[in-house]
Amino acid sequence: MTSKSTGNYRFPEGFLWGAATAAYQIEGSSMADGAGASIWDRFSHTPGMMLNGDTGDVACDHYNRWREDIEVMKRLNLQAYRFSVSWSRVMPDGRGAINAKGLDFYDKLIDGLLEAGIEPLCTLYHWDLPAALDDRGGWLNPDIADWFADYGQVLFEKFKGRVKTWGTINEPWVIVDGGYLHGALAPGHKSAFEAMIAGHNVLRAHGAAVKRFREVGEGQIGIVLNIEPKYPASDKPEDEAARKRAEAQMNRWFLDPLMGRGYPEQLKDVYGEAYREFPQEDFDLIATPTDWMGLNWYTRSVPENAPDAWPVRARPVKQIQHAHTETGWEVYPPALTDTLVWLHEQTGGKLPLMVTENGSAGYDPPHAIDGRIHDPMRVEYLKNHLKALHDAIGKGVDIRGYMAWSLLDNLEWSLGYSKRFGITHVNFQTQERTIKDSGLLYAEVIKTHGAVLDRL
Ligand code: GCO
């Protein structure tokens, strides 16, 4: 508060700086100590589903190296760490019996973080559904709302007073679009009929967990959405209609019902005969008020009308004037500002927001060179997105924190280890960690509350 820096990019007092990961992407040892399999264990062991046949069997070996990883977090000056719990580690069958050793892993991790002065932000679900629940229909089974709330209760009670900020579900859209509509992610289904139902049950499960949290939990709870803003490709009416369909299918499908507005009308046009009506009581459950919302943000898109692109009938136009990351995603930082302003408006202007993921895949080498990893593209990306984030705060958006994706290079889902998003490099042969140039910059940003950005 008494700092002398008057830099434009100084962030508000109490702004929380951290980094994020997800269980299956980093932990490894997914079957250790009595854990049950998840749909990602199954999917990654199904030939042809993963690039290069990669699996999460070892990943970053975080299950064994979490102490070392907390040391990395300290060197990065992190104030917070967003991680997810593997449901089937804690409840091998997804319901019923608790695996004490699995729960103990997170118990120790949380204590270790608190000891290091790092605030744990806990996500209940980051895509690794217990395989035993998938055998009962997974997200297609309406009972999953209760299973999820019961699982949540185990964590709410166990970590009460230690975890203060909770996230229910990470990116409903990706769970459904990847897992049930296009099939590129576990469980690998391809059906619009299923997607409508799975999406609805993901939202119901979120609502049921929030309700349960109010009964037995303590702290703040919210959901984490990925929003990729849709910019106009032209002023042709058919492109504007395509833009609206894309926005409805990717962003408003989940945001609107959470805000009590039901499904956006364009969803009917997208899903046609697969579109379903659901009872009002479901929508009431889904709109159970939360304390905050997380935004995962990577890029924007510029969709044009494309009648053959199933089912949205829109296809992004490549913006060749801008850089693209290694995943082919356009680098366009002003869209982060726009998205935060939009989300602030869409959520009624009162819900605190947090950027729960933001980052980029770059062309990093497999091993450190002279003890360093130079990642100039990621440095640029980080710097410019932090400035864009600051601009949104300047426009009056209530943003409480920023979690870089990711603490570590890790398993990028079906792309395996081919894409590196870390601010810390992982040598997957030796498991050696090296903080990248982007991580060094981030540590400096945290130390100076953003003021270092004035010079960059
Ligand atoms: C996500 C994902 C991460 C991905 C990242 C990069 O929540 O989108 O949670 O798991 O690794 O987004 O694609």
Side-chain angles (χ1 to χ4, degrees), residues 191-244:
S191 156
F193 293 88
E194 287 193 5
M196 265 310 298
I197 296 165
H200 194 68
N201 286 329
V202 167
L203 285 166
R204 287 179 54 251
H206 156 78
V210 173
K211 273 184 87 173
R212 190 70 62 85
F213 182 75
R214 300 294 180 219
E215 290 159 22
V216 306
E218 223 175 79
Q220 313 278 308
I221 195 160
I223 194 167
V224 171
L225 300 184
N226 59 295
I227 305 277
E228 186 187 273
K230 307 298 176 190
Y231 284 64
S234 79
D235 51 17
K236 290 188 213 148
E238 61 269 31
D239 284 341
E240 176 55 14
R243 193 194 69 76
K244 283 209 168 111

Side-chain angles (χ1 to χ4, degrees), residues 164-203:
K164 300 203 169 84
T165 305
W166 297 86
T168 53
I169 290 178
N170 181 75
E171 300 189 355
W173 180 80
V174 179
I175 295 170
V176 175
D177 192 86
Y180 290 87
L181 186 66
H182 290 290
L185 303 175
H189 300 191
K190 231 180 181 171
S191 156
F193 293 88
E194 287 193 5
M196 265 310 298
I197 296 165
H200 194 68
N201 286 329
V202 167
L203 285 166

Side-chain angles (χ1 to χ4, degrees), residues 235-277:
D235 51 17
K236 290 188 213 148
E238 61 269 31
D239 284 341
E240 176 55 14
R243 193 194 69 76
K244 283 209 168 111
R245 285 194 300 276
E247 179 184 78
Q249 196 265 352
M250 189 162 180
N251 301 333
R252 292 173 48 219
W253 181 1
F254 297 95
L255 179 62
D256 283 10
L258 288 164
M259 292 298 119
R261 296 192 285 266
Y263 291 124
E265 63 174 79
Q266 290 88 356
L267 218 54
K268 282 189 191 144
D269 184 15
V270 169
Y271 288 128
E273 61 174 349
Y275 185 82
R276 301 259 299 216
E277 305 284 349

Side-chain angles (χ1 to χ4, degrees), residues 21-22 25 82 126-127 170-171 174 224 226 296 298 327 329 357 359 405-406 410-413 415 421:
T21 63
Q25 294 183 273
R82 172 177 179 255
H126 199 127
W127 310 355
N170 181 75
E171 300 189 355
V174 179
V224 171
N226 59 295
N296 289 355
Y298 291 89
T327 42
W329 300 348
E357 285 180 27
W405 183 270
S406 175
N410 58 46
L411 179 99
E412 179 57 15
W413 305 109
L415 298 177
F421 277 86

Side-chain angles (χ1 to χ4, degrees), residues 29 67 107-108 127 169 179 212 223 225 242 265 267 270 319 336 356 366 376 424 436:
S29 307
R67 286 184 189 83
D107 195 67
K108 288 206 196 102
W127 310 355
I169 290 178
R212 190 70 62 85
I223 194 167
L225 300 184
E265 63 174 79
L267 218 54
V270 169
Q319 303 300 301
L336 172 59
T356 35
T424 307
K436 301 180 191 177

Side-chain angles (χ1 to χ4, degrees), residues 131-380:
L133 296 185
D134 196 45
D135 292 341
R136 295 181 155 86
W139 289 109
L140 299 169
N141 188 327
D143 292 344
I144 198 162
D146 293 328
W147 302 338
F148 186 64
D150 291 346
Y151 157 61
Q153 180 167 352
V154 173
L155 306 184
F156 301 151
E157 288 178 337
K158 178 81 181 173
F159 304 134
K160 192 186 271 185
R162 288 184 285 163
V163 172
K164 300 203 169 84
T165 305
W166 297 86
T168 53
I169 290 178
N170 181 75
E171 300 189 355
W173 180 80
V174 179
I175 295 170
V176 175
D177 192 86
Y180 290 87
L181 186 66
H182 290 290
L185 303 175
H189 300 191
K190 231 180 181 171
S191 156
F193 293 88
E194 287 193 5
M196 265 310 298
I197 296 165
H200 194 68
N201 286 329
V202 167
L203 285 166
R204 287 179 54 251
H206 156 78
V210 173
K211 273 184 87 173
R212 190 70 62 85
F213 182 75
R214 300 294 180 219
E215 290 159 22
V216 306
E218 223 175 79
Q220 313 278 308
I221 195 160
I223 194 167
V224 171
L225 300 184
N226 59 295
I227 305 277
E228 186 187 273
K230 307 298 176 190
Y231 284 64
S234 79
D235 51 17
K236 290 188 213 148
E238 61 269 31
D239 284 341
E240 176 55 14
R243 193 194 69 76
K244 283 209 168 111
R245 285 194 300 276
E247 179 184 78
Q249 196 265 352
M250 189 162 180
N251 301 333
R252 292 173 48 219
W253 181 1
F254 297 95
L255 179 62
D256 283 10
L258 288 164
M259 292 298 119
R261 296 192 285 266
Y263 291 124
E265 63 174 79
Q266 290 88 356
L267 218 54
K268 282 189 191 144
D269 184 15
V270 169
Y271 288 128
E273 61 174 349
Y275 185 82
R276 301 259 299 216
E277 305 284 349
F278 296 98
Q280 183 56 40
E281 63 188 71
D282 288 4
F283 289 103
D284 294 343
L285 177 66
I286 290 166
T288 304
T290 57
D291 307 302
W292 68 285
M293 183 177 279
L295 169 70
N296 289 355
W297 199 93
Y298 291 89
T299 190
R300 69 159 178 175
S301 86
V302 184
E304 68 177 358
N305 187 40
D308 61 324
W310 176 85
V312 188
R313 311 194 314 282
R315 184 177 293 120
V317 186
K318 188 158 181 182
Q319 303 300 301
I320 51 169
Q321 74 277 27
H322 294 143
H324 289 70
T325 69
E326 205 192 354
T327 42
W329 300 348
E330 186 195 1
V331 180
Y332 190 67
L336 172 59
T337 315
D338 293 350
T339 303
L340 285 161
V341 170
W342 183 82
L343 192 58
H344 179 67
E345 287 163 0
Q346 294 287 318
T347 53
K350 289 196 196 74
L351 196 62
L353 305 178
M354 188 183 303
V355 175
T356 35
E357 285 180 27
N358 174 238
S360 60
Y363 300 90
D364 309 331
H367 51 83
I369 297 166
D370 295 334
R372 290 290 293 271
I373 296 283
H374 299 302
D375 57 342
M377 274 188 73
R378 191 176 294 99
V379 165
E380 277 300 293

